């Protein structure tokens, strides 16, 4: 009877379910080796109460780097196939983040432009940040002198009014962009803070030095990296509602029994 059960069991690499071959152990060992970075990333994201979207791009790049390094040591065809599947899956799911949401990473003083894997994407993010910063700078904040109207433009002669206004607008726009470029450049030149530090505390301290970037940091660093915190809130709320319902049901049954006893 036992021989018949073993004969029907599926086999892998020449071994039945009654035993595991050395090749299978090696394959399992290499698979676990490949999955170690994913376990570390999952543990890190789960332990933090609030994970900002600024961490998505550098975490994706570190996963990509570690996976490629470990894949070079894989010898089993099955684990090599697994590594390729993981690499392609990472690229398909996270490869667009450097384009979609780059400002959160750039505004995080732990990562800045070094959090990007593609230098060209980092430069594009810097240009985008300068434009965002420029939108917050009011023309009155610029230090450039006002452009004097042309001597030919008088109350009676407004022939050059449109041209003078264009010159004024052009000069103001150039001044605002220059101020935004200087503010972003000074921020990027500042030392990085440790990865364990709080980026929001950094921006609170630098609110006077970088007033416009400080406002942008509050806008972009509050974006959550995952929906886990929200799911936890709804999960706890559901558990509380469930317990309250059970207590009400229990008290209702007890009251019904008391009334029937009377």
């Amino acid at each position: 009877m036992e021989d018949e059960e073993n004969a029907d069991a599926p086999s892998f690499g020449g071994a039945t379910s009654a035993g595991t071959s050395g090749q299978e152990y090696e394959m399992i060992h290499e698979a676990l080796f490949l999955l170690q970075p994913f376990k570390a990333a999952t543990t890190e994201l789960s332990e933090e109460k609030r994970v900002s979207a600024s961490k998505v791009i550098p975490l994706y790049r570190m996963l990509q780097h570690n996976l490629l390094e470990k894949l070079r040591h894989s010898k089993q065809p099955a684990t090599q196939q697994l590594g390729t599947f993981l690499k392609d899956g990472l690229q398909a799911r996270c490869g667009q983040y450097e384009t979609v949401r780059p400002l959160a990473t750039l505004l995080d003083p732990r990562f800045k432009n070094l959090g990007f894997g593609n230098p060209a994407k980092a430069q594009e993010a810097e240009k985008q940040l300068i434009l965002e910063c420029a939108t917050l700078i009011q023309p009155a904040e610029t230090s450039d002198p006002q452009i004097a109207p042309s001597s030919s433009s008088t109350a009676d002669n407004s022939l050059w009014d449109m041209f003078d206004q264009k010159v004024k607008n052009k000069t103001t726009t150039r001044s605002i962009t220059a101020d935004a470029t200087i503010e972003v450049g000074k921020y990027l030149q500042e030392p990085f803070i440790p990865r364990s530090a709080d980026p929001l505390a950094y921006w609170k301290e630098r609110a006077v030095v970088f007033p416009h970037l400080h406002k942008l940091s509050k806008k972009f660093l509050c974006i959550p990296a995952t929906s886990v915190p929200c799911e936890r809130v709804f999960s706890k709320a559901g558990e509380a509602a469930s317990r309250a319902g059970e207590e009400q049901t229990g008290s209702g049954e007890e009251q019904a029994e008391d009334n029937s006893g009377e």
Side-chain angles (χ1 to χ4, degrees), residues 153-201:
S153 296
T154 62
D156 297 330
N157 184 6
S158 58
L159 176 63
W160 291 92
D161 282 356
M162 185 182 72
F163 176 79
D164 291 340
Q165 187 62 39
K166 283 186 176 181
V167 172
K168 182 179 178 181
N169 294 341
K170 184 70 173 180
T171 305
T172 302
T173 303
R174 185 181 305 166
S175 179
I176 290 175
T177 304
D179 290 347
T181 303
I182 292 172
E183 185 170 342
V184 172
K186 286 183 178 180
Y187 158 66
L188 294 177
Q189 290 175 1
E190 283 216 339
F192 289 78
I193 65 173
R195 283 191 301 107
S196 58
D198 184 2
L200 296 179

Coordinates of all heavy atoms in Angstrom, one line a residue, residues 153-201:
S153 N 6.9 106.7 -24.0 CA 5.6 106.2 -23.5 C 5.1 107.2 -22.4 O 5.6 107.3 -21.3 CB 5.7 104.8 -22.9 OG 6.1 103.9 -23.8
T154 N 4.2 108.0 -22.8 CA 3.6 108.9 -21.9 C 2.1 108.7 -21.8 O 1.5 107.8 -22.4 CB 3.8 110.4 -22.4 OG1 3.2 110.5 -23.6 CG2 5.3 110.7 -22.5
A155 N 1.4 109.5 -21.0 CA 0.0 109.3 -20.8 C -0.7 109.6 -22.2 O -1.8 109.0 -22.4 CB -0.5 110.2 -19.8
D156 N -0.1 110.4 -23.0 CA -0.7 110.8 -24.2 C -0.3 109.9 -25.4 O -0.9 109.8 -26.4 CB -0.4 112.2 -24.6 CG -1.0 113.2 -23.6 OD1 -2.0 112.9 -23.0 OD2 -0.4 114.3 -23.4
N157 N 0.9 109.2 -25.2 CA 1.4 108.4 -26.2 C 1.7 107.0 -25.7 O 2.7 106.8 -25.0 CB 2.7 109.0 -26.8 CG 3.3 108.2 -28.0 OD1 2.6 107.3 -28.5 ND2 4.4 108.6 -28.5
S158 N 0.8 106.0 -26.0 CA 0.9 104.7 -25.4 C 1.3 103.7 -26.5 O 1.0 102.5 -26.5 CB -0.4 104.2 -24.8 OG -1.4 104.3 -25.8
L159 N 2.1 104.2 -27.5 CA 2.5 103.3 -28.6 C 3.3 102.2 -28.2 O 3.2 101.1 -28.7 CB 3.2 104.2 -29.7 CG 3.8 103.4 -30.9 CD1 2.7 102.8 -31.7 CD2 4.6 104.4 -31.7
W160 N 4.2 102.4 -27.2 CA 5.1 101.3 -26.8 C 4.7 100.6 -25.5 O 5.5 99.9 -24.9 CB 6.5 102.0 -26.6 CG 7.2 102.4 -27.8 CD1 7.1 103.6 -28.4 CD2 8.0 101.6 -28.7 NE1 7.8 103.7 -29.6 CE2 8.4 102.4 -29.8 CE3 8.4 100.3 -28.7 CZ2 9.1 102.0 -30.8 CZ3 9.2 99.8 -29.7 CH2 9.5 100.6 -30.8
D161 N 3.5 100.8 -25.1 CA 3.1 100.2 -23.8 C 3.2 98.7 -23.8 O 3.6 98.1 -22.9 CB 1.7 100.6 -23.5 CG 1.6 102.0 -22.9 OD1 2.7 102.6 -22.7 OD2 0.5 102.5 -22.6
M162 N 2.7 98.1 -24.9 CA 2.7 96.6 -25.0 C 4.1 96.1 -25.0 O 4.4 95.1 -24.3 CB 2.0 96.1 -26.2 CG 1.9 94.6 -26.3 SD 1.1 94.1 -27.8 CE 2.4 94.4 -29.0
F163 N 5.0 96.7 -25.7 CA 6.4 96.3 -25.7 C 7.1 96.4 -24.3 O 7.8 95.5 -23.9 CB 7.2 97.0 -26.8 CG 8.7 96.7 -26.8 CD1 9.1 95.6 -27.4 CD2 9.6 97.5 -26.2 CE1 10.5 95.2 -27.4 CE2 11.0 97.2 -26.2 CZ 11.4 96.0 -26.8
D164 N 6.9 97.6 -23.7 CA 7.4 97.8 -22.4 C 6.9 96.8 -21.4 O 7.7 96.3 -20.5 CB 7.1 99.2 -21.9 CG 7.8 100.3 -22.7 OD1 8.8 99.9 -23.3 OD2 7.4 101.4 -22.7
Q165 N 5.7 96.4 -21.5 CA 5.1 95.4 -20.6 C 5.7 94.0 -20.8 O 6.0 93.3 -19.9 CB 3.6 95.3 -20.8 CG 2.9 94.4 -19.7 CD 3.0 94.9 -18.3 OE1 3.0 96.1 -18.1 NE2 3.2 94.0 -17.4
K166 N 6.0 93.7 -22.1 CA 6.7 92.4 -22.4 C 8.1 92.4 -21.8 O 8.5 91.4 -21.3 CB 6.7 92.2 -23.9 CG 5.4 91.8 -24.6 CD 5.7 91.5 -26.1 CE 4.4 91.0 -26.7 NZ 4.6 90.7 -28.1
V167 N 8.8 93.5 -21.9 CA 10.1 93.5 -21.3 C 10.1 93.4 -19.8 O 10.9 92.6 -19.2 CB 10.8 94.9 -21.7 CG1 12.1 95.0 -20.9 CG2 11.0 95.0 -23.2
K168 N 9.1 94.0 -19.2 CA 9.0 93.9 -17.7 C 8.6 92.5 -17.3 O 9.2 91.9 -16.4 CB 7.9 94.9 -17.3 CG 7.6 94.9 -15.8 CD 6.6 95.9 -15.4 CE 6.3 95.8 -13.9 NZ 5.2 96.8 -13.5
N169 N 7.7 91.8 -18.0 CA 7.3 90.5 -17.7 C 8.5 89.5 -17.9 O 8.7 88.6 -17.1 CB 6.1 90.0 -18.5 CG 4.9 90.8 -18.2 OD1 4.8 91.4 -17.1 ND2 3.9 90.8 -19.1
K170 N 9.2 89.7 -19.0 CA 10.4 88.8 -19.3 C 11.4 89.0 -18.2 O 12.0 88.0 -17.8 CB 10.9 89.2 -20.7 CG 12.1 88.3 -21.1 CD 11.6 87.0 -21.5 CE 12.7 86.1 -22.1 NZ 12.2 84.8 -22.5
T171 N 11.7 90.2 -17.8 CA 12.7 90.4 -16.8 C 12.3 89.8 -15.4 O 13.1 89.2 -14.7 CB 13.0 91.9 -16.6 OG1 13.3 92.5 -17.9 CG2 14.1 92.2 -15.6
T172 N 11.0 90.0 -15.1 CA 10.5 89.4 -13.8 C 10.6 87.9 -13.8 O 11.0 87.3 -12.9 CB 9.1 89.9 -13.6 OG1 9.0 91.3 -13.6 CG2 8.5 89.3 -12.3
T173 N 10.2 87.3 -14.9 CA 10.2 85.8 -15.1 C 11.6 85.3 -14.9 O 11.9 84.3 -14.3 CB 9.6 85.4 -16.4 OG1 8.3 85.9 -16.5 CG2 9.6 83.8 -16.5
R174 N 12.6 86.0 -15.6 CA 14.0 85.6 -15.5 C 14.5 85.7 -14.1 O 15.2 84.8 -13.7 CB 14.8 86.4 -16.5 CG 16.2 86.0 -16.6 CD 17.0 87.0 -17.5 NE 16.3 87.0 -18.8 CZ 16.6 88.0 -19.7 NH1 17.5 88.9 -19.5 NH2 16.0 88.0 -20.9
S175 N 14.1 86.7 -13.4 CA 14.6 86.9 -12.0 C 14.0 85.8 -11.1 O 14.7 85.3 -10.2 CB 14.2 88.3 -11.5 OG 14.6 88.5 -10.2
I176 N 12.7 85.5 -11.3 CA 12.1 84.5 -10.4 C 12.8 83.1 -10.7 O 13.1 82.4 -9.7 CB 10.6 84.4 -10.7 CG1 9.9 85.7 -10.2 CG2 10.0 83.2 -10.1 CD1 8.4 85.8 -10.6
T177 N 13.0 82.8 -11.9 CA 13.6 81.5 -12.3 C 15.0 81.4 -11.7 O 15.5 80.4 -11.2 CB 13.7 81.3 -13.8 OG1 12.3 81.4 -14.3 CG2 14.2 79.9 -14.1
A178 N 15.7 82.6 -11.8 CA 17.1 82.6 -11.2 C 17.1 82.4 -9.7 O 17.9 81.6 -9.1 CB 17.8 83.9 -11.6
D179 N 16.1 83.0 -9.0 CA 16.0 82.8 -7.5 C 15.7 81.4 -7.2 O 16.2 80.8 -6.2 CB 15.0 83.8 -7.0 CG 15.4 85.2 -7.0 OD1 16.6 85.5 -7.3 OD2 14.5 86.1 -6.9
A180 N 14.8 80.8 -8.0 CA 14.4 79.4 -7.7 C 15.6 78.5 -8.0 O 15.9 77.5 -7.2 CB 13.3 79.0 -8.6
T181 N 16.4 78.7 -9.0 CA 17.6 77.9 -9.3 C 18.6 78.0 -8.2 O 19.2 77.0 -7.8 CB 18.2 78.4 -10.7 OG1 17.2 78.3 -11.7 CG2 19.4 77.5 -11.0
I182 N 18.8 79.2 -7.7 CA 19.7 79.4 -6.6 C 19.3 78.6 -5.3 O 20.1 77.9 -4.7 CB 19.9 80.9 -6.3 CG1 20.6 81.6 -7.4 CG2 20.7 81.1 -5.0 CD1 20.7 83.1 -7.3
E183 N 18.0 78.7 -5.0 CA 17.5 78.0 -3.8 C 17.6 76.5 -3.9 O 18.1 75.8 -3.0 CB 16.0 78.4 -3.6 CG 15.5 77.8 -2.3 CD 14.1 78.4 -1.9 OE1 13.8 79.5 -2.4 OE2 13.4 77.8 -1.1
V184 N 17.3 76.0 -5.1 CA 17.4 74.5 -5.3 C 18.9 74.1 -5.3 O 19.2 73.1 -4.7 CB 16.7 74.1 -6.6 CG1 17.0 72.7 -7.0 CG2 15.2 74.3 -6.6
G185 N 19.7 74.9 -5.9 CA 21.1 74.6 -6.0 C 21.8 74.5 -4.6 O 22.6 73.6 -4.3
K186 N 21.4 75.5 -3.8 CA 22.0 75.5 -2.4 C 21.5 74.3 -1.6 O 22.3 73.7 -0.8 CB 21.6 76.8 -1.7 CG 22.3 78.1 -2.2 CD 21.9 79.3 -1.4 CE 22.7 80.5 -1.8 NZ 22.2 81.8 -1.1
Y187 N 20.2 74.0 -1.8 CA 19.7 72.8 -1.1 C 20.5 71.5 -1.5 O 20.8 70.7 -0.6 CB 18.2 72.6 -1.3 CG 17.7 71.3 -1.1 CD1 17.7 70.7 0.1 CD2 17.2 70.5 -2.2 CE1 17.2 69.4 0.3 CE2 16.7 69.2 -2.0 CZ 16.7 68.7 -0.7 OH 16.3 67.4 -0.6
L188 N 20.7 71.3 -2.8 CA 21.3 70.1 -3.2 C 22.8 70.1 -2.8 O 23.4 69.0 -2.7 CB 21.2 70.0 -4.8 CG 19.8 69.8 -5.3 CD1 19.8 69.8 -6.9 CD2 19.2 68.5 -4.8
Q189 N 23.4 71.2 -2.5 CA 24.8 71.2 -2.1 C 24.9 71.0 -0.6 O 26.1 70.7 -0.2 CB 25.4 72.6 -2.5 CG 25.6 72.8 -4.0 CD 26.1 74.2 -4.3 OE1 26.3 75.0 -3.4 NE2 26.3 74.5 -5.6
E190 N 23.8 71.0 0.1 CA 23.9 70.8 1.6 C 24.2 69.3 1.8 O 23.9 68.4 1.0 CB 22.6 71.2 2.2 CG 22.5 72.6 2.4 CD 21.8 73.0 3.7 OE1 21.1 72.1 4.3 OE2 21.9 74.1 4.2
P191 N 24.9 69.0 3.0 CA 25.2 67.6 3.3 C 23.9 66.7 3.4 O 22.9 67.2 3.8 CB 25.9 67.7 4.6 CG 26.4 69.1 4.7 CD 25.4 69.9 4.0
F192 N 24.0 65.5 3.1 CA 22.9 64.5 3.3 C 22.8 64.2 4.8 O 23.7 64.3 5.5 CB 23.2 63.2 2.5 CG 23.2 63.3 1.0 CD1 24.2 63.8 0.3 CD2 22.1 62.8 0.3 CE1 24.2 63.9 -1.1 CE2 22.0 62.9 -1.1 CZ 23.1 63.5 -1.7
I193 N 21.5 63.9 5.1 CA 21.3 63.5 6.5 C 21.2 62.0 6.5 O 21.0 61.3 5.5 CB 20.0 64.1 7.0 CG1 18.8 63.6 6.3 CG2 20.0 65.6 7.0 CD1 17.4 64.0 6.9
P194 N 21.4 61.4 7.7 CA 21.4 59.9 7.8 C 20.1 59.3 7.4 O 19.0 60.0 7.5 CB 21.7 59.6 9.3 CG 22.4 60.9 9.8 CD 21.8 62.0 9.0
R195 N 20.1 58.1 6.9 CA 18.8 57.5 6.4 C 17.8 57.3 7.6 O 16.6 57.2 7.4 CB 19.1 56.1 5.7 CG 19.6 56.3 4.3 CD 19.6 54.9 3.6 NE 20.5 54.0 4.3 CZ 20.0 52.9 4.9 NH1 18.7 52.7 5.1 NH2 20.8 52.1 5.5
S196 N 18.4 57.2 8.8 CA 17.5 57.0 10.0 C 16.9 58.3 10.5 O 16.1 58.3 11.4 CB 18.3 56.3 11.1 OG 19.4 57.1 11.4
A197 N 17.4 59.5 9.9 CA 16.9 60.8 10.4 C 15.5 61.1 9.8 O 15.1 60.4 8.8 CB 17.9 61.8 10.0
D198 N 14.9 62.0 10.4 CA 13.5 62.5 9.9 C 13.6 63.6 9.0 O 14.1 64.7 9.3 CB 12.7 62.9 11.2 CG 11.2 63.2 10.8 OD1 10.9 63.1 9.6 OD2 10.5 63.6 11.7
P199 N 13.2 63.4 7.7 CA 13.3 64.5 6.7 C 12.5 65.7 7.1 O 12.8 66.8 6.8 CB 12.9 63.9 5.4 CG 12.1 62.7 5.8 CD 12.7 62.2 7.1
L200 N 11.3 65.5 7.7 CA 10.4 66.6 8.1 C 11.1 67.5 9.2 O 10.9 68.7 9.2 CB 9.1 66.0 8.6 CG 8.3 65.3 7.6 CD1 7.0 64.8 8.2 CD2 8.0 66.1 6.4
A201 N 11.9 66.9 10.1 CA 12.6 67.6 11.1 C 13.6 68.5 10.4 O 13.9 69.7 10.8 CB 13.2 66.7 12.1

